[in-house]
Amino acid sequence: EESFGGHKDSKPLGPASVGLDISFPGSQHLYGLPEHASSMQLQTTKGDKSHYNEPYRLYTLDVFEYELDEPMALYGGIPIVWSHTAASTVG
């Protein structure tokens, strides 16, 4: 059993996760990861100047009572991220 933000997951089929590190060279801002109650511009989750101290999580869930300005997922995870610069838009 695991707890996150006051929610418990009994993991009836066992633990599972996928982790990714993605780079967008030349980009200063990333946008995306819908279904979160935070800004469309993704905030930093690592380092001294991080906005959040938890990573963005993509759970398959449906949260009824959610907190504003938090990186926790609200509904199923749809991992789309894009970056826009003067030279290109990549996603």
Side-chain angles (χ1 to χ4, degrees):
E1 188 169 286
E2 179 182 3
S3 293
F4 173 73
H7 305 284
K8 292 189 187 273
D9 181 3
S10 63
K11 298 182 192 163
L13 301 176
S17 68
V18 174
L20 297 171
D21 287 326
I22 300 172
S23 296
F24 292 86
S27 297
Q28 293 188 15
H29 303 287
L30 295 179
Y31 302 88
L33 295 179
E35 309 300 343
H36 288 78
S38 59
S39 69
M40 188 66 149
Q41 180 178 326
L42 301 180
Q43 303 296 321
T44 304
T45 60
K46 290 175 32 175
D48 295 335
K49 296 181 180 182
S50 65
H51 186 79
Y52 300 121
N53 60 0
E54 291 285 334
Y56 286 93
R57 298 181 188 271
L58 302 174
Y59 284 112
T60 302
L61 49 68
D62 185 0
V63 176
F64 173 68
E65 295 179 3
Y66 60 89
E67 300 173 22
L68 295 176
D69 195 26
E70 289 290 328
M72 67 181 280
L74 297 178
Y75 302 105
I78 305 169
I80 182 169
V81 176
W82 65 94
S83 172
H84 178 72
T85 66
S88 66
T89 298
V90 180

